[in-house]
């Protein structure tokens, strides 16, 4: 059987459930500090997450919800960039204080993949420093070197659902699509990965459970741990995983 040469990981919702207890809290802290009366609820954030990228999400909120805003005269791009920088600091502080844990099976699979010489990369919309904070605080600083590439945030012009971040990752690593397996958690994520013709495993979470994952080869609850089986929820190749309770390097190669 052939095997995947590289695993490409999304971050938010895939490596960790960062949104509700991380990004959302950080956005609200940054709004309050900036003197804005904005406060995003979990329900509202669920809707706002359809737009990827924190700066883009704030602009979308302003345009769609018309919230109180008396800074009309400011350059919106600069203004949101400064709020976003403060939000990023808050997010990193939370991660540094252990507010976010890796999802089931992530550390296990990363270790197995390294032991079996699979190449690893991150392909994400989130800000670069959020990724390094998350990895350092969950897997240790040394884990940054496990990833050949951390492709993040504004490194590409168009964020997910555009496929740019995956095209960028393939080009930087000298890979073709057939060699890679992607891990994503959302509709925007699979649109991006499939836009680059990449085989994709979806691990759902509370925010994305009901998303349309058409095109995914495998949709699961999580990667599973020996003491906590994952559930297969769908995907075009799901029939090959009926006997599987933990996704590891060997079982994932069934997708190749
Ligand atoms: C993640 C995002 C990010 C995060 C917040 O999407 O869209 O915007 O919500 O991080 P994906 P930033 O998981 O598909 O990569 O504020 O740094 O953008
Ligand atoms: Mg995601």
């Amino acid at each position: 059987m052939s095997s995947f040469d590289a695993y490409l990981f999304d971050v938010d919702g895939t490596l960790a459930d960062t949104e509700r207890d991380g990004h959302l809290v950080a956005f609200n802290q940054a709004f309050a500090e900036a003197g804005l009366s904005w406060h995003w609820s979990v329900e509202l954030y669920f809707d706002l997450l359809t737009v990827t990228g924190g700066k883009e999400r704030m602009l979308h909120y302003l345009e769609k919800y018309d919230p109180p805003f008396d800074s009309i005269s400011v350059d919106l791009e600069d203004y949101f960039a400064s709020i976003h920088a403060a939000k990023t600091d808050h997010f990193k502080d939370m991660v540094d204080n252990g507010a976010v844990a890796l999802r089931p099976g992530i550390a296990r699979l990363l270790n197995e993949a390294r032991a079996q010489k699979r190449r690893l990369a991150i392909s994400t919309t989130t800000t670069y420093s959020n990724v390094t904070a998350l990895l350092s605080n969950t897997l240790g600083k040394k884990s940054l070197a496990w990833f050949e590439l951390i492709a993040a945030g504004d490194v590409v012009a168009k964020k997910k659902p555009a496929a740019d971040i995956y095209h960028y990752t393939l080009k930087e690593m000298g890979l073709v699509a057939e060699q890679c397996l992607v891990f994503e958690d959302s509709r925007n994520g699979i649109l991006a990965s499939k836009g680059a013709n990449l085989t994709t495993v979806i691990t759902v979470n509370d925010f994305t459970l009901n998303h349309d994952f058409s095109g995914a080869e495998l949709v699961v609850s999580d990667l599973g741990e020996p003491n906590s089986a994952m559930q297969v929820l769908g995907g075009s190749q799901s029939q090959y995983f009926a006997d599987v309770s933990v996704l590891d390097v060997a079982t994932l190669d069934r997708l190749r």
Side-chain angles (χ1 to χ4, degrees), residues 108-225:
R108 173 187 55 74
L109 183 63
L110 288 173
N111 280 306
E112 288 172 7
R114 290 181 64 237
Q116 300 195 36
K117 305 277 184 265
R118 308 300 164 105
R119 297 167 68 185
L120 299 174
I122 298 282
S123 304
T124 183
T125 290
T126 207
T127 304
Y128 182 88
S129 58
N130 294 342
V131 184
T132 54
L134 179 68
L135 294 173
S136 306
N137 282 282
T138 52
L139 296 165
K141 263 210 164 57
K142 64 183 183 322
S143 67
L144 299 181
W146 300 357
F147 296 88
E148 223 176 292
L149 176 72
I150 297 178
D154 296 324
V155 71
V156 288
K158 280 189 267 146
K159 293 180 176 155
K160 299 173 190 177
D164 297 26
I165 197 75
Y166 284 111
H167 287 309
Y168 175 84
T169 302
L170 296 183
K171 189 163 177 269
E172 288 293 307
M173 293 176 72
L175 290 162
V176 293
E178 295 68 40
Q179 294 175 275
C180 303
L181 181 61
V182 168
F183 297 86
E184 275 285 358
D185 73 301
S186 68
R187 170 85 180 144
N188 282 325
I190 186 141
L191 286 172
S193 65
K194 284 294 159 190
N197 287 319
L198 291 157
T199 305
T200 306
V201 174
I202 297 284
T203 53
V204 302
N205 58 58
D206 286 354
F207 279 120
T208 67
L209 193 54
N210 297 316
H211 282 193
D212 175 1
F213 292 120
S214 305
E217 277 73 14
L218 186 63
V219 182
V220 292
S221 55
D222 52 67
L223 299 176
E225 292 283 22

Side-chain angles (χ1 to χ4, degrees), residues 56-75:
E56 293 81 352
R57 192 169 298 144
M58 288 189 275
L59 190 58
H60 167 76
Y61 173 66
L62 182 63
E63 284 166 354
K64 181 172 173 188
Y65 288 87
D66 196 20
F69 187 62
D70 53 18
S71 306
I72 292 297
S73 57
V74 301
D75 179 302

Side-chain angles (χ1 to χ4, degrees), residues 7 11 19 22 24 33 51 100 104 108 134 145 149 152 157 168 179 222 226 228:
Y7 289 170
V11 174
E19 295 291 1
L24 175 58
E33 276 168 10
V51 175
V100 182
R108 173 187 55 74
L134 179 68
L149 176 72
Y168 175 84
Q179 294 175 275
D222 52 67
S228 167

